[in-house]
Amino acid sequence: MENPGFEKSKDDPPQYEETSFSSNGFKNGEHHDVRLSVVSAFGHNTLDRVPNIDFYRNAASISGHRAVRPSLQQLHNVFQKSGGLQNTVEEREAGNSSTLGDVQSVIPLEGKDEGGVVKFGWIKGVLVRCMLNIWGVMLFIRLSWVFGQAGIGLGIVVVLLSVVVTSVTCLSMSAICTNGVVRGGGAYYLISRSLGPEFGGSIGLIFAFANAVAVAMYVVGFAETVVELLKENNAIIVDPVSDIRIIGCITVVLLLGITAAGMEWEAKAQIILLVILLVAIGNVFVGTVIPSTQDKRSKGFFNYQESIAKENFIPDFRDGETFFSVFAIFFPAATGILAGANISGDLEDPQDALPKGTLLAIFITGITYLGIALCVSVTVVRDATGNRNHTITPGASCNFSSACDFGYDFSICQTTKCNYGLMNNFQVMTLVSGFGPLITAGTFSATLSSALASLVSAPKVFQALCKDNIYKGLQFFAKGHGKNNEPIRGYVLTFIIAVAFILIAELNTIAPIISNFFLASYALINFSCFHASYAKSPGWRPAYKYYNMWLSLFGAVLCCGVMFVINWWAALLTYGIEFFLYIYVTVKKPDVNWGSSTQAVTFINAVNNALTLSGVDNHIKNFRPQCLVLTGSPRTRPALLDIAHSFTKNYGLCLTCEVFVGQRDKNLQEISAAVEQNQLWLNKHKRKAFYTAVASDNLRDGAETLLQASGLGRMKPNTVMVGFKRDWRTAKPQDVQSYVGILHDAFDFEQGTVILRISQGMDISQILKAEEEMERLILEQQALEMEEDDFQMQGVKGFFRRPKKSSKKELTSRVSLDIPQASNLAKMNQRLVEASSQFKKKQGKGTIDVWWLFDDGGLTLLLPHILTTRKKWKDCRLRIFIAGQPERIEQDKEEMQSLLKKFRIKCDDIKVIADINARPSAESWKAFKDMIEPFRLHEGSKETTQAEALKKEHPWKITDAELDAFEEKTNLQVRLNELLQESSRAAKLVLVSMPIARKGSVSDHLYMAWLDALTKNLPPTVLIRGNHKSVLTFYS
């Protein structure tokens, strides 16, 4: 079922058509041409088609026409229907076909302007973006400090560990994005389509927010660098903090202008920034081979020296820093690997571009980080004063650092804080470089490129999230504009968030949270790959083979560990936010179906659990009613469904079943539609039940099929539930025989049997049909009035003239005049509607009366006990009625109390009926005789020949001999009804042991008369008969 909130655009993810065995696959009025390839391949005309990619496209695919192969029904039935081959199979489907909750581009093919849409290749779209995002300010400002603290050895470990995390994540991402077509949404799209909307929706929101705040972080970094330059030149505008805000806001406005101009302009800006960054990086390498000046030497730069390399190789952690704290500071520099994935909708071929571009970007940036770090670490000492006069005095000893080997004594740094060297100066790159201002330009380029990438990523991811309509209130931001479907509204929202955090100007607290948000995304991408591999779904066939499910799991665990290393409280906060959003999406249950690995694992677990259960023998303690409920369509007998659901709730199996009577071929399409519609209805009304349907020549055969074939392993029905056949007196004898036959079959298959009778009836199918007809007429009336209003409004000028809109109440009353029978039907059956919905409501204080007359294994006692454990019935007290002898009343009562105590079943009262064998009153007996009179044969008053002829003509009628043989049992049913009316007339629900008709001895109409006489003029009554196997035990 398609989510009505979806808006279709060409950046939408792909939709998957649901196959229906009952659909013919064609639409009315379509033209189908014979394909010559079929004729040439097989030598004769045939509906069968040769394999073709067009058969596997999604509806309204943007990459080609969607063709539909012939349905199985067409191949199987076409010659029976038409006598020959008239239609062939190619079909061009419209873009509004039904989906399973996933959408793709539905722009009409003739309306596309492919030349106007900007799509990027793997270099400009992925490689450049990822490199610019990974090369941040860390490269020029903090990298030297990291290697100063950790030393060359552990510094390399820090960089390599970061590269391992990002590389493993990239391998997982490559596997996911090559397992089918990738659309817009980046990390959100990959995670949601792999793990489902719960994980995707939670991570998508925080990932988009993290990118929006990252814009502010990068812009503030840029502004701080500008303010430092202003300080050096005494050009402060207001004060340093205010200047950061002013410059930051101006910068964001300029960046927003670039992105709003379109992706093409943004890509050009990125290329310019990349060139500047590459020149700055090259400037560092060049500077290390230029002979150092005296000024640079005094600041600790001595070109390449072996002694400096040896000294800086070992770690020298200061100021409370550790390996993990240093790693936490460096790792955010390695993030940014999703910059290409975040614009996946703007890539020509995401499946090819993302793995190639991202892996190459990680490799290049990793080599760059290591290369620059090593170059700086073997040319600059850890501490330097910057004072040219701090040289070694002749004859003096110096062993403070390797600078002593080059004539400088920086030993004063042992007691005084120095301003230069790897440990003290964040501008070491400027010192080492050949031309200092280029490093400043590189810093500008690194911050602005990262800010620009985040400013593009956040709206793109957010737009994809909004299009999927997971969060109903965010649908406003799903709309795109222009040829590239630009998320202008998302840009504005990102701009507002970025400006808000820039004005705060204190991002040191928020920075760890943002890093953890990114890491949470990496962790879920890795877990998605592991989960999809673990599920072993046949649909998991990634083209990228260089991945391993256990490596992906290791990457997920590693990402989670790094989150706590960076900041433990930020990690807990991230998990808390993600868990809250996960619960929210789970509760809201968005109407989407993406074939996630979560579904696949759920199926595997269900199969494994069913197999495990099959290997264990049933035990009385674990018995629970597994109900097969013959409701027909569940909507038509809600009372029967509700009482069955109260028995099973969330803890037992409940199958709602329908038998389509008639020829199977004619019912197949109707069955297919009914299965989907009724299961959706059950889910919508929160009924934990399954719907199943069969086609059969008659009701009994269909029910017998259900009794034999329903269930799986140990999860098979053990209790059959039906409604009482109120029209048995007017029904055809064959229908009565079929109904009673179902009860006989249930006993034959050793099923517990339950019959529900409500005096007003249960079948509301006619009312539902009348309501549907009423709705249809109202819609027609509304359409007619709208046409009339449009006609009247033609030529009327002004903005204040509006057509009057009729209320639904007015329309209903108006339509009722046209179809009085529908309105009257609704009024006449008001009591039936109320009776049908009585079990939906919470039951007030009252009693549940249990007439446990025959020991059937305990089902008659267990079912009412289960009812009292449900919220709707918890205010009802249990009363037990048993048959007894006048001289043993107290003894029988004590024995039943003892039995109930051992069963741990509480009851409010136990009543022993001592006069159950008394003859019914004359009035009751006369009413029973009048009931069965039309069905009696009266062979005793006729001659033998005539009597035999009547028996052959009406074998279903009740004979005098039969009445005489079962007189006592007949008296019992009539007498029981008198007692029931006397004792249980005010009960909320009555449960009575069901009488059994011996097969072949009791006629169907006599048995129906027993059931009718037993339950007439009573509150809702349930007849119960267990299968005479114990379902209760007092053993532990």
Side-chain angles (χ1 to χ4, degrees):
M1 179 178 178
E2 187 174 68
N3 191 332
F6 285 165
E7 179 179 340
K8 304 176 188 298
S9 72
K10 61 175 172 291
D11 280 334
D12 286 331
Q15 58 187 4
Y16 301 106
E17 183 185 10
E18 183 174 12
T19 301
S20 173
F21 291 109
S22 66
S23 172
N24 61 11
F26 297 100
K27 296 186 179 178
N28 294 331
E30 292 184 345
H31 178 67
H32 310 287
D33 298 323
V34 176
R35 289 180 52 186
L36 296 178
S37 60
V38 178
V39 178
S40 60
F42 299 103
H44 64 280
N45 287 348
T46 175
L47 264 181
D48 265 328
R49 315 311 289 166
V50 295
N52 191 294
I53 189 174
D54 290 338
F55 292 138
Y56 298 91
R57 296 191 189 279
N58 297 317
S61 171
I62 60 176
S63 55
H65 285 282
R66 164 75 154 86
V68 174
R69 67 182 63 82
S71 71
L72 190 60
Q73 261 46 4
Q74 283 180 300
L75 293 175
H76 193 214
N77 297 333
V78 65
F79 292 103
Q80 297 175 18
K81 293 179 179 179
S82 61
L85 177 63
Q86 294 181 357
N87 291 332
T88 54
V89 296
E90 191 160 352
E91 176 186 16
R92 308 300 184 186
E93 283 199 340
N96 59 351
S97 63
S98 63
T99 69
L100 290 182
D102 212 350
V103 292
Q104 191 193 2
S105 172
V106 289
I107 295 177
L109 292 170
E110 63 272 10
K112 289 186 184 178
D113 181 11
E114 294 293 344
V117 178
V118 178
K119 294 290 184 180
F120 302 111
W122 72 274
I123 295 178
K124 189 186 289 189
V126 182
L127 179 64
V128 170
R129 290 176 185 279
C130 288
M131 288 196 303
L132 285 172
N133 227 20
I134 297 173
W135 281 332
V137 291
M138 182 69 67
L139 183 65
F140 299 110
I141 296 178
R142 286 295 184 95
L143 187 61
S144 57
W145 177 86
V146 168
F147 271 70
Q149 290 276 0
I152 295 174
L154 288 181
I156 293 174
V157 173
V158 167
V159 175
L160 291 180
L161 184 58
S162 302
V163 170
V164 166
V165 173
T166 55
S167 297
V168 172
T169 303
C170 183
L171 293 177
S172 300
M173 181 191 72
S174 301
I176 295 172
C177 71
T178 58
N179 190 53
V181 177
V182 177
R183 298 295 171 189
Y188 158 72
Y189 181 86
L190 298 177
I191 294 170
S192 63
R193 269 50 178 184
S194 295
L195 293 178
E198 295 83 7
F199 283 104
S202 58
I203 201 64
L205 200 59
I206 65 174
F207 184 72
F209 176 77
N211 273 286
V213 178
V215 175
M217 291 176 57
Y218 294 130
V219 168
V220 167
F222 168 77
E224 285 177 348
T225 308
V226 175
V227 169
E228 288 297 324
L229 292 177
L230 294 178
K231 281 182 183 179
E232 293 176 6
N233 295 280
N234 295 320
I236 293 295
I237 304 171
V238 182
D239 59 73
V241 175
S242 297
D243 287 3
I244 290 174
R245 292 170 176 162
I246 294 170
I247 296 170
C249 290
I250 294 172
T251 305
V252 171
V253 171
L254 294 174
L255 294 177
L256 180 65
I258 294 173
T259 54
M263 290 294 294
E264 195 170 4
W265 285 95
E266 186 266 349
K268 291 177 180 177
Q270 292 280 29
I271 294 296
I272 295 172
L273 294 174
L274 176 65
V275 171
I276 296 173
L277 198 54
L278 289 174
V279 171
I281 291 171
N283 183 41
V284 174
F285 288 109
V286 171
T288 57
V289 297
I290 298 175
S292 59
T293 62
Q294 186 177 3
D295 179 66
K296 288 186 176 184
R297 284 173 173 264
S298 66
K299 294 178 180 178
F301 175 61
F302 298 98
N303 295 108
Y304 292 98
Q305 302 294 337
E306 183 180 357
S307 59
I308 295 178
K310 290 179 179 178
E311 182 181 76
N312 289 344
F313 186 82
I314 59 175
D316 184 16
F317 295 110
R318 301 180 189 175
D319 302 324
E321 300 291 347
T322 63
F323 171 80
F324 292 109
S325 64
V326 171
F327 174 78
I329 291 171
F330 172 79
F331 183 79
T335 59
I337 62 171
L338 297 180
N342 290 338
I343 63 160
S344 53
D346 295 294
L347 300 176
E348 288 180 358
D349 185 3
Q351 290 178 287
D352 177 67
L354 289 176
K356 189 190 305 182
T358 308
L359 279 171
L360 188 58
I362 293 173
F363 176 77
I364 293 173
T365 53
I367 294 297
T368 306
Y369 273 119
L370 285 175
I372 291 180
L374 290 174
C375 288
V376 172
S377 298
V378 299
T379 57
V380 182
V381 295
R382 281 193 168 104
D383 298 284
T385 60
N387 191 331
R388 299 183 184 183
N389 298 322
H390 285 171
T391 55
I392 300 176
T393 308
S397 62
C398 176
N399 57 5
F400 174 69
S401 69
S402 56
C404 298
D405 299 339
F406 313 113
Y408 284 85
D409 184 6
F410 299 140
S411 57
I412 192 174
C413 293
Q414 287 180 310
T415 56
T416 306
K417 176 69 174 177
C418 294
N419 295 322
Y420 296 96
L422 295 177
M423 303 289 279
N424 310 304
N425 183 17
F426 290 154
Q427 302 298 325
V428 168
M429 296 300 177
T430 305
L431 174 69
V432 173
S433 66
F435 183 61
L438 279 178
I439 300 301
T440 303
T443 304
F444 288 170
S445 175
T447 52
L448 291 178
S449 63
S450 298
L452 197 56
S454 297
L455 187 58
V456 170
S457 298
K460 292 282 186 182
V461 173
F462 192 57
Q463 183 187 34
L465 175 66
C466 295
K467 280 181 180 177
D468 287 339
N469 206 24
I470 291 177
Y471 301 100
K472 303 292 184 183
L474 302 179
Q475 183 64 23
F476 173 78
F477 295 98
K479 185 174 178 58
H481 297 80
K483 59 190 178 184
N484 264 29
N485 197 36
E486 295 291 346
I488 301 299
R489 296 172 180 177
Y491 285 140
V492 173
L493 179 63
T494 305
F495 169 77
I496 293 172
I497 295 173
V499 169
F501 280 94
I502 287 170
L503 294 177
I504 294 173
E506 277 293 332
L507 295 177
N508 290 336
T509 303
I510 200 72
I513 301 176
I514 301 307
S515 296
N516 274 308
F517 281 0
F518 286 127
L519 274 168
S521 304
Y522 296 172
L524 278 179
I525 288 175
N526 282 302
F527 184 72
S528 298
C529 182
F530 164 76
H531 204 257
S533 302
Y534 173 77
K536 293 181 173 60
S537 172
W540 174 249
R541 303 183 302 273
Y544 187 84
K545 300 299 182 183
Y546 303 103
Y547 75 96
N548 180 274
M549 60 181 289
W550 301 111
L551 185 63
S552 296
L553 181 62
F554 170 74
V557 174
L558 194 60
C559 288
C560 294
V562 171
M563 289 173 68
F564 282 96
V565 166
I566 290 178
N567 191 300
W568 65 269
W569 62 263
L572 291 177
L573 180 63
T574 303
Y575 287 130
I577 294 173
E578 187 174 338
F579 180 73
F580 170 78
L581 293 174
Y582 178 91
I583 295 298
Y584 174 83
V585 177
T586 302
V587 170
K588 290 297 181 182
K589 290 183 174 62
D591 187 17
V592 294
N593 184 1
W594 294 321
S596 65
S597 59
T598 305
Q599 294 175 345
V601 170
T602 301
F603 178 82
I604 290 173
N605 292 338
V607 172
N608 289 334
N609 289 336
L611 290 171
T612 302
L613 197 62
S614 297
V616 180
D617 291 334
N618 289 328
H619 195 282
I620 300 173
K621 288 194 296 184
N622 293 325
F623 176 86
R624 62 185 73 236
Q626 317 275 19
C627 296
L628 188 151
V629 193
L630 295 175
T631 57
S633 175
R635 293 181 293 178
T636 60
R637 292 176 178 82
L640 184 60
L641 174 62
D642 291 336
I643 197 71
H645 189 254
S646 295
F647 292 147
T648 59
K649 196 69 174 176
N650 302 328
Y651 313 106
L653 178 68
C654 183
L655 292 177
T656 61
C657 303
E658 183 172 8
V659 178
F660 286 82
V661 178
Q663 293 183 10
R664 186 186 63 180
D665 291 346
K666 294 181 179 180
N667 286 322
L668 286 177
Q669 292 187 20
E670 192 176 352
I671 289 176
S672 181
V675 168
E676 181 179 357
Q677 292 171 4
N678 287 303
Q679 191 62 56
L680 284 173
W681 186 90
L682 289 169
N683 296 339
K684 181 181 178 181
H685 290 80
K686 299 181 179 178
R687 293 292 178 263
K688 304 292 185 181
F690 300 97
Y691 172 83
T692 185
V694 294
S696 181
D697 293 334
N698 59 69
L699 179 64
R700 182 178 181 179
D701 289 345
E704 184 180 0
T705 301
L706 291 167
L707 283 168
Q708 294 185 81
S710 296
L712 183 69
R714 296 290 183 193
M715 293 186 297
K716 279 183 172 292
N718 53 32
T719 305
V720 177
M721 293 188 66
V722 296
F724 181 73
K725 187 172 181 61
R726 294 176 71 240
D727 65 343
W728 69 273
R729 293 191 228 178
T730 57
K732 295 178 181 178
Q734 298 91 330
D735 293 340
V736 176
Q737 184 180 10
S738 182
Y739 178 84
V740 176
I742 292 172
L743 303 180
H744 284 306
D745 291 340
F747 294 140
D748 286 342
F749 292 120
E750 295 189 336
Q751 297 279 323
T753 307
V754 177
I755 300 176
L756 173 65
R757 179 172 186 178
I758 299 175
S759 58
Q760 295 86 351
M762 286 182 290
D763 188 355
I764 62 170
S765 56
Q766 296 301 321
I767 297 176
L768 292 176
K769 289 179 181 178
E771 289 178 351
E772 290 173 0
E773 180 68 13
M774 179 77 75
E775 289 289 336
R776 185 184 66 80
L777 291 171
I778 288 173
L779 290 174
E780 289 180 359
Q781 185 73 21
Q782 285 177 333
L784 185 62
E785 290 191 358
M786 289 178 65
E787 289 179 4
E788 291 176 355
D789 289 334
D790 290 341
F791 179 76
Q792 292 172 5
M793 289 295 292
Q794 288 180 3
V796 178
K797 297 182 179 179
F799 294 97
F800 302 101
R801 175 105 180 192
R802 290 186 179 180
K804 182 182 177 182
K805 192 173 183 179
S806 299
S807 67
K808 188 171 182 179
K809 187 175 181 181
E810 292 175 355
L811 289 168
T812 302
S813 62
R814 218 177 295 168
V815 170
S816 298
L817 297 175
D818 298 330
I819 49 167
Q821 67 277 13
S823 178
N824 293 335
L825 182 63
K827 292 177 181 177
M828 288 167 50
N829 289 281
Q830 185 63 34
R831 290 178 61 197
L832 173 58
V833 173
E834 291 176 357
S836 296
S837 61
Q838 61 182 311
F839 298 133
K840 288 183 172 67
K841 308 169 187 174
K842 181 176 173 58
Q843 304 297 311
K845 290 185 177 180
T847 63
I848 298 176
D849 289 356
V850 182
W851 291 69
W852 194 15
L853 306 177
F854 313 108
D855 193 327
D856 58 353
L859 187 65
T860 307
L861 185 61
L862 178 63
L863 291 183
H865 166 70
I866 290 174
L867 280 181
T868 60
T869 64
R870 309 305 187 207
K871 288 182 180 180
K872 292 177 182 177
W873 295 90
K874 68 176 183 179
D875 293 335
C876 293
R877 297 172 290 112
L878 211 61
R879 295 196 304 175
I880 309 294
F881 294 81
I882 59 173
Q885 300 174 6
E887 66 275 8
R888 285 177 49 90
I889 290 179
E890 290 301 322
Q891 186 177 350
D892 289 341
K893 186 173 182 179
E894 289 177 2
E895 288 178 357
M896 180 55 64
Q897 285 177 336
S898 175
L899 182 61
L900 293 176
K901 186 177 180 181
K902 288 184 177 182
F903 285 150
R904 289 128 12 237
I905 292 177
K906 295 180 181 179
C907 76
D908 187 65
D909 190 16
I910 297 175
K911 291 189 177 183
V912 180
I913 309 298
D915 58 344
I916 198 168
N917 292 321
R919 289 190 64 83
S921 66
E923 184 181 354
S924 298
W925 183 248
K926 183 179 183 304
F928 179 79
K929 290 182 69 175
D930 291 342
M931 180 195 301
I932 65 172
E933 180 61 30
F935 313 109
R936 292 188 61 180
L937 196 62
H938 290 294
E939 79 279 9
S941 60
K942 297 179 177 62
E943 295 180 0
T944 306
T945 307
Q946 187 180 4
E948 291 297 326
L950 284 173
K951 283 184 181 179
K952 289 182 180 180
E953 185 179 355
H954 305 290
W956 49 270
K957 283 197 172 185
I958 305 170
T959 64
D960 294 340
E962 182 184 358
L963 275 179
D964 292 339
F966 295 102
E967 181 181 1
E968 290 184 359
K969 200 162 187 178
T970 303
N971 288 339
L972 177 62
Q973 314 313 320
V974 179
R975 174 59 180 160
L976 276 174
N977 181 257
E978 292 179 343
L979 295 170
L980 282 163
Q981 292 194 48
E982 180 183 325
S983 302
S984 299
R985 194 66 181 267
K988 293 289 184 182
L989 185 68
V990 180
L991 297 98
V992 189
S993 293
M994 182 195 304
I996 293 181
R998 190 173 296 277
K999 194 165 53 173
S1001 300
V1002 179
S1003 64
D1004 298 330
H1005 281 77
L1006 179 59
Y1007 187 46
M1008 289 303 302
W1010 285 355
L1011 300 182
D1012 196 337
L1014 176 62
T1015 58
K1016 71 177 181 179
N1017 301 326
L1018 290 174
T1021 304
V1022 178
L1023 295 172
I1024 304 176
R1025 175 65 73 157
N1027 63 357
H1028 286 245
K1029 295 180 181 179
S1030 296
V1031 299
L1032 293 171
T1033 180
F1034 46 79
Y1035 295 106
S1036 59

